[in-house]
Amino acid sequence: MEVSKVGIVGAGQMGNGIAHVFALAGYDVMMTDIDRDALDRAVAQIDQNLERQVSREKINADAKTDAMRRISTTLDLPELGTTDLVIEAATERETIKTAIFEDLVPHLQPHTILTSNTSSISITRLASRTDRPEKFMGFHFMNPVPVMQLVELIRGIATDEPTFKTCLGVVDKLGKTAASAEDFPAFIVNRILMPMINEAVYTLYEGVGSVKSIDESLRLGANHPMGPLELADFIGLDTCLAIMNVLHDGLADTKYRPCPLLTKYVEAGWLGRKTQRGFYDYRQDPPTPTR
Ligand code: CAA
């Protein structure tokens, strides 16, 4: 199936990155959100990130202008009915995602493929809440989307082969690499990454190391581009906790229990970079550890 117009639901950190890479690859993009300010901020962020790519000579100025021209925004979810592929990138909460699908589905064309950028929720269960489980898939990008090479493609139990093949072709056109994952809690990347981050929080909680020594150990001792606590702040501590809960509930194994210190940070509203405070305090430059 030919995909030319793509709808993106949610203009947050992931949604704006997804819009950026699709527009740059030549797709017409329509982005929607319930908040006009969020849409405006997303467009400004895409402009800034594209400009960074121009200044680093990754793309030329014409490519940036063309990409910006291909992006439109709307507050009206049904307007996504004209697209060939929809990627839902709303908040990582199942009730929110299913409510979006229920509102959107009556407006979609029969051929439209519906996908979710969920980082952990069952694709089969999300698909079952739509009218098209065979045309439903997980389309999971990594953050920052314009930089990270991988897209996880997750088939639900009912996903058909043409849908999977179409999404593979789209990933290819984006210039990214697809990894196919089965539909089990948190798929591949987060099944491995989140327990590592959670263990780093336990290492802090138990006093084995400080924020600085834990991050330095993994950066310099394992060649990770960011330490695990810095990465947790980058992803969002609420997202990390939500994924650990999905692993804990879905696999019923105590090795996935979220660290109480991670829960406490989320309870405090210290969610990482997006709230200016997490394991680091970003109100100072350079950011300082909060423990
Ligand atoms: N848009 C466009 N380009 C961007 C960008 C953005 N949002 N952010 C960074 N870049 C580009 C920079 O322009 C720079 O380009 P050049 O190589 O051409 O110079 C390059 O990326 C590196 O950026 P910086 O020099 O600013 O910073 P850095 O070297 O410290 O790298 C990083 C930043 C790429 C984020 C790096 O620290 C990194 O790879 N961190 C780990 C990220 C990671 O693990 N992500 C996955 C998280 S898990 C996930 O997303 C799944 C989930 O469901 C939770």
Side-chain angles (χ1 to χ4, degrees):
M1 194 195 97
E2 199 52 48
V3 172
S4 60
K5 195 166 178 189
V6 178
I8 295 163
V9 184
Q13 182 168 259
M14 296 307 286
N16 85 59
I18 296 169
H20 172 137
V21 296
F22 271 94
L24 204 51
Y27 292 96
D28 289 325
V29 173
M30 187 181 283
M31 187 167 38
T32 184
D33 200 288
I34 48 171
D35 179 1
R36 167 51 56 200
D37 288 347
L39 285 170
D40 294 344
R41 275 197 308 273
V43 171
Q45 185 71 56
I46 295 168
D47 190 277
Q48 190 184 322
N49 287 337
L50 284 167
E51 191 53 45
R52 170 156 47 172
Q53 289 177 301
V54 172
S55 66
R56 306 224 185 185
E57 295 178 355
K58 290 265 152 89
I59 61 171
N60 63 37
D62 288 347
K64 179 194 163 188
T65 309
D66 288 347
M68 288 305 292
R69 207 180 295 128
R70 285 192 198 103
I71 298 172
S72 58
T73 60
T74 177
L75 288 170
D76 192 17
L77 186 63
E79 276 198 48
L80 265 53
T82 58
T83 61
D84 308 306
L85 167 69
V86 174
I87 301 177
E88 171 277 315
T91 306
E92 188 69 355
R93 208 169 310 140
E94 192 162 342
T95 48
I96 294 179
K97 292 183 188 294
T98 50
I100 289 168
F101 294 139
E102 272 160 26
D103 286 351
L104 178 62
V105 151
H107 307 281
L108 294 179
Q109 304 173 86
H111 74 271
T112 302
I113 293 176
L114 188 52
T115 69
S116 173
N117 180 55
T118 178
S119 45
S120 58
I121 300 170
S122 163
I123 297 302
T124 301
R125 204 164 59 234
L126 289 177
S128 73
R129 305 294 296 270
T130 75
D131 63 343
R132 60 192 70 208
E134 69 292 343
K135 285 191 163 50
F136 192 100
M137 283 203 57
F139 208 125
H140 183 214
F141 287 86
M142 309 297 135
N143 189 21
V145 180
V147 181
M148 304 301 283
Q149 187 59 34
L150 188 80
V151 178
E152 267 183 306
L153 289 181
I154 306 107
R155 270 177 284 202
I157 205 162
T159 312
D160 66 20
E161 199 57 19
T163 299
F164 178 64
K165 289 263 168 61
T166 303
C167 290
L168 262 184
V170 170
V171 174
D172 197 43
K173 191 171 163 192
L174 294 177
K176 296 198 182 284
T177 303
S180 174
E182 293 302 320
D183 184 23
F184 290 101
F187 321 129
I188 296 174
V189 172
N190 285 324
R191 169 82 177 256
I192 299 169
L193 184 63
M194 283 306 155
M196 184 199 72
I197 287 176
N198 195 46
E199 199 59 31
V201 185
Y202 268 113
T203 310
L204 178 67
Y205 177 62
E206 291 169 10
V208 182
S210 64
V211 169
K212 182 168 181 284
S213 62
I214 292 166
D215 275 349
E216 250 173 25
S217 296
L218 271 290
R219 246 193 350 259
L220 305 179
N223 263 3
H224 289 195
M226 283 177 168
L229 301 173
E230 191 187 359
L231 180 57
D233 276 357
F234 183 67
I235 293 168
L237 303 192
D238 51 341
T239 302
C240 294
L241 180 61
I243 297 171
M244 284 312 297
N245 280 326
V246 167
L247 282 167
H248 195 221
D249 296 346
L251 298 168
D253 190 326
T254 54
K255 74 178 177 181
Y256 298 114
R257 72 191 203 284
C259 178
L261 185 60
L262 178 61
T263 307
K264 201 167 286 302
Y265 269 81
V266 173
E267 283 171 351
W270 293 15
L271 307 182
R273 282 200 198 184
K274 62 184 165 190
T275 58
Q276 295 281 297
R277 246 189 306 187
F279 292 110
Y280 293 85
D281 186 337
Y282 298 91
R283 294 169 305 174
Q284 351 226 336
D285 192 20
T288 50
T290 51
R291 284 180 89 81

